[in-house]
Amino acid sequence: QVQLQESGPGLVRPWETLSLTCTVSGGSISSYYWTWIRQPPGKGLEWIGNIYYSGTTNYNPSFKSRVIISLDTSKDQFSLKLSSVTAADTAVYYCARMSGYTYGYAGAYYQYNGLDVWGLGTTVTVSS
Amino acid sequence: EIVLTQSPGTLSLSPGERATLSCRATQSVSSNYLAWYQQKAGQAPRLLIYGASSRATGIPDRFSGSGSGTDFTLTISRLEPEDFAVYYCQQYGSSPWTFGQGTKVEIK
């Protein structure tokens, strides 16, 4: 079955750029939305943004000026870059798949069926 | 942005009891795109319910979801020991996708 694995530095200096990669295995990166979510220590979940396999992105306005999500279909990977980080960006970062399918004429519509596959998460600490 | 408020914050119950968790949205959730997730300590969340009432693959039928518009409910008919965890609702009908703050179901 499909599995996701986050990778990247566990420690980032303040005001630098956090960079994480999610590798998709056991299935194709095509035909789904791929998502980044984070969870600060002891707190709830926060959606950062997502990317469709076509490359279309959608970001949380809370991050919009700092975040870039990209896709590398040749490697079945998608990535997160979050710039100008502060201690408030310390969190467990998860990648996840939004399940669903296209329907309608020429696949014009998408039926979303929840975030059904998650990575284990990777802890990123922002500290000097 | 749609804000989701979950209640109660903590639910103290015994195994075998029924759990009822609430999720209320500040505006109607488009297409009832409302999901429920279970998260245990140190683990990633697990999808339980999507589309407000559809069980995800492999989820036992003691978990059920209901509701529409702005009011949604997750019911666990008879709590098993492995069900004690934190539960989050999420709406994905409008951007930005948002999560509730969570309900902790603890052993009484």
Side-chain angles (χ1 to χ4, degrees), chain A residues 80-96:
Chain A
L80 169 70
K81 290 189 185 300
L82 185 64
S83 61
S84 303
V85 297
T86 67
D89 294 309
T90 293
V92 176
Y93 285 76
Y94 294 102
C95 57

Side-chain angles (χ1 to χ4, degrees), chain A residues 26-42:
Chain A
S28 174
I29 204 166
S30 298
S31 304
Y32 293 103
Y33 282 85
W34 302 94
T35 303
W36 286 99
I37 289 158
R38 74 179 188 181
Q39 186 170 35

Side-chain angles (χ1 to χ4, degrees), chain A residues 33 35 37 39 43-47 50 58-62 94 98 103 110-116 118-121, chain B residues 1 31 33 35 37 39 42-47 49-51 56 88 90 92-102:
Chain A
Y33 282 85
T35 303
I37 289 158
Q39 186 170 35
K43 296 188 177 180
L45 301 163
E46 184 175 30
W47 175 71
N50 60 34
N58 189 19
Y59 301 131
N60 188 329
S62 299
Y94 294 102
M98 172 56 77
Y103 68 98
Y110 194 90
Q111 172 72 29
Y112 298 91
N113 288 340
L115 295 164
D116 68 332
W118 293 67
L120 297 177
Chain B
E1 171 175 325
S31 302
Y33 277 156
Y37 301 87
Q39 187 178 35
Q43 296 184 17
R46 177 174 72 139
L47 177 66
I49 301 288
Y50 65 92
Y88 293 95
Q90 180 219 4
Y92 49 98
S94 304
S95 185
W97 297 350
T98 50
F99 291 87
Q101 82 280 16

Side-chain angles (χ1 to χ4, degrees), chain A residues 44-55:
Chain A
L45 301 163
E46 184 175 30
W47 175 71
I48 300 171
N50 60 34
I51 187 166
Y52 192 42
Y53 80 100
S54 64

Side-chain angles (χ1 to χ4, degrees), chain B residues 37-100:
Chain B
Y37 301 87
Q38 177 194 68
Q39 187 178 35
K40 298 180 181 178
Q43 296 184 17
R46 177 174 72 139
L47 177 66
L48 301 175
I49 301 288
Y50 65 92
S53 60
S54 296
R55 262 190 305 277
T57 303
I59 300 304
D61 60 7
R62 65 179 181 273
F63 291 93
S64 63
S66 63
S68 65
T70 60
D71 288 299
F72 299 88
T73 300
L74 174 70
T75 302
I76 311 172
S77 59
R78 287 177 56 87
L79 283 164
E80 297 288 341
E82 62 268 26
D83 299 337
F84 291 91
V86 179
Y87 293 83
Y88 293 95
C89 59
Q90 180 219 4
Q91 70 81 22
Y92 49 98
S94 304
S95 185
W97 297 350
T98 50
F99 291 87

Side-chain angles (χ1 to χ4, degrees), chain A residues 58-70:
Chain A
N58 189 19
Y59 301 131
N60 188 329
S62 299
F63 300 94
K64 194 164 187 177
S65 62
R66 299 195 293 138
V67 66
I68 297 174
I69 298 175
S70 59

